Amino acid sequence: MFTKTRTKSCYLFLVFSTLLTVFCEEKIFGRCNLFEGSWIFDDYYPIYDSLLCPFIDQGLNCIRNGRSDKLYLKYRWQPTDCDLPRFNGEDFLKKFRGKNFMFVGDSLSNNQWQSLACMLHASVPNSTYTFVITRNRSVLSFPEFEFTVTFLKDGFLVDLVVEEAGRVIKLDSLSRSEQWKGVDFLIFNSYHWWIHTGRLQTWDYFQVGDKLYKEMNHMEAYKIALTTWANWIDSSVDPAVTKVFFQGISAVHYHGQDWNEPTAKDCSGQTKPIEGSTYPGERYAGEAVVKSVLSNMTKPVNLLDIALLTQLRKDGHPARFAGGATDCSHWCVGGVPDAWNELLYAMLLQK
């Protein structure tokens, strides 16, 4: 049940003498923008103990890596015009008994997968599970509920191949999409790999058709690739069988001036979210690309628009508790990704 954040006067009247309709001045949940809001302190959180979750990568288990400040675990996302339901992992497993979920994308998809794995495991601690991890795939199953949730590493969604010319991103080619077929719920993600430059860049050329390009605007390339993915969804997915989500742009916090704290070198030492519901820095170019591509699709895709809510969480990264270099792009588990899954849960209930 979705409750409102405010109580306002409602007016009851009879329509056509038979239908009793309630009109309220405030927004009902169905019209509430879940992604506009702020982070508020809530002592109910966290909803699981990361030290008891066996699915977290070493670099994301901030508590185990020595992070002693735990205030970052005590915030929940509060939409401006409605309340999110409390996440109920057992209810999730029962509602989606016999179903399979798959997260497809880069390490931010993996971040969300690990969070959901912990949330579900903590809700049914006595339920048996199987966990299989290979180089590019992690699969968690709960046999009691005939439920499976998978992470499939595929950071570009389109093909990256090694040829005589070098490493080539084929912007109009999808050769691994067979792995996506037959899945009940697909949650895709792709962005961070596209903005890499220099030594972090994992390709030498872009290819469209039979033409190679040494240089191309990365956002133009990203849009071509997402359009290739979108065309596959439109031509290959039956919405009655498979529900599709796209995880939006996840924020990074490497420059304090982005949030009006110029003395901050990066996210290190940050312990609280940015207050309020606006971010002082710029929005990401990828946001417009994602929304443009999704708006032109013929099949429904649900956008998990996490850009703003992650921009406000400069405190949620592993930072120096990643077990290596300072990490201000991924997220501690538990922490911020739990809210992404609460939003996913709300969107699923809404439907």
Side-chain angles (χ1 to χ4, degrees):
M1 186 69 180
F2 303 105
T3 57
K4 315 296 188 297
T5 56
R6 304 175 184 86
T7 301
K8 297 184 179 179
S9 58
C10 296
Y11 304 95
L12 304 180
F13 60 94
L14 203 59
V15 178
F16 300 124
S17 300
T18 58
L19 178 63
L20 187 65
T21 307
V22 181
F23 281 84
C24 299
E25 293 179 325
E26 63 181 352
K27 294 181 180 179
I28 60 173
F29 178 80
R31 296 176 185 172
C32 170
N33 185 338
L34 297 178
F35 309 105
E36 292 181 356
S38 60
W39 292 93
I40 65 171
F41 182 86
D42 189 335
D43 203 42
Y44 171 81
Y45 289 81
I47 57 178
Y48 60 89
D49 183 348
S50 63
L51 296 178
L52 301 179
C53 181
F55 314 116
I56 307 175
D57 286 350
Q58 180 179 351
L60 303 180
N61 200 328
C62 301
I63 299 297
R64 189 176 298 279
N65 290 340
R67 182 168 181 174
S68 58
D69 71 287
K70 297 181 181 179
L71 191 61
Y72 73 96
L73 294 168
K74 293 290 186 181
Y75 290 90
R76 66 173 171 85
W77 179 248
Q78 175 63 61
T80 302
D81 292 324
C82 60
D83 290 336
L84 293 176
R86 293 288 193 190
F87 183 84
N88 185 324
E90 186 172 6
D91 175 70
F92 191 111
L93 290 166
K94 288 179 177 178
K95 282 185 181 299
F96 300 107
R97 180 183 297 274
K99 302 298 185 182
N100 54 79
F101 284 64
M102 179 180 283
F103 292 86
V104 184
D106 59 24
S107 53
L108 277 308
S109 280
N110 194 19
N111 224 166
Q112 185 173 3
W113 177 90
Q114 291 178 45
S115 164
L116 182 59
C118 293
M119 294 166 81
L120 295 175
H121 176 257
S123 69
V124 288
N126 297 319
S127 183
T128 59
Y129 65 87
T130 62
F131 178 43
V132 179
I133 184 168
T134 58
R135 187 169 65 92
N136 292 320
R137 184 188 295 258
S138 302
V139 184
L140 174 63
S141 298
F142 293 90
E144 178 184 349
F145 301 95
E146 301 175 40
F147 177 94
T148 299
V149 57
T150 299
F151 164 66
L152 182 64
K153 184 179 180 181
D154 193 350
F156 292 112
L157 300 181
V158 295
D159 294 338
L160 174 65
V161 299
V162 178
E163 298 184 339
E164 185 176 348
R167 302 165 299 175
V168 181
I169 298 182
K170 299 193 172 188
L171 300 178
D172 54 2
S173 174
L174 288 170
S175 65
R176 296 180 299 278
S177 55
E178 285 295 319
Q179 301 177 80
W180 309 341
K181 291 184 176 180
V183 178
D184 299 299
F185 296 89
L186 287 165
I187 304 98
F188 290 95
N189 155 262
S190 183
Y191 181 65
H192 274 236
W193 289 13
W194 293 95
I195 60 176
H196 288 167
T197 58
R199 63 181 179 82
L200 295 177
Q201 184 172 299
T202 55
W203 69 90
D204 302 304
Y205 295 94
F206 298 104
Q207 182 174 340
V208 181
D210 58 359
K211 292 185 178 181
L212 287 178
Y213 301 89
K214 182 65 175 177
E215 299 294 339
M216 180 184 291
N217 179 279
H218 287 198
M219 286 300 97
E220 290 181 13
Y222 179 52
K223 187 169 186 177
I224 295 170
L226 272 193
T227 300
T228 299
W229 165 83
N231 290 339
W232 183 88
I233 296 292
D234 284 342
S235 63
S236 303
V237 168
D238 180 355
V241 176
T242 301
K243 307 303 180 189
V244 181
F245 294 79
F246 194 91
Q247 182 203 84
I249 310 303
S250 174
V252 300
H253 293 93
Y254 283 104
H255 306 288
Q257 62 265 28
D258 291 344
W259 60 89
N260 289 341
E261 192 178 345
T263 58
K265 179 182 177 183
D266 50 38
C267 67
S268 297
Q270 300 292 330
T271 60
K272 293 182 180 180
I274 294 170
E275 294 183 0
S277 56
T278 58
Y279 183 70
E282 296 181 358
R283 302 305 291 261
Y284 295 106
E287 293 181 67
V289 173
V290 169
K291 291 176 181 179
S292 173
V293 171
L294 296 190
S295 69
N296 287 306
M297 295 179 68
T298 59
K299 299 289 177 66
V301 175
N302 306 280
L303 177 60
L304 193 63
D305 193 1
I306 60 174
L308 173 62
L309 65 93
T310 54
Q311 283 184 315
L312 297 175
R313 288 307 302 270
K314 57 188 173 64
D315 60 317
H317 301 285
R320 64 180 181 272
F321 301 103
T326 298
D327 185 350
C328 296
S329 58
H330 298 97
W331 303 92
C332 295
V333 179
V336 174
D338 301 338
W340 309 352
N341 288 315
E342 289 177 314
L343 287 160
L344 176 63
Y345 178 61
M347 294 169 77
L348 290 167
L349 292 181
Q350 187 180 19
K351 295 181 178 304

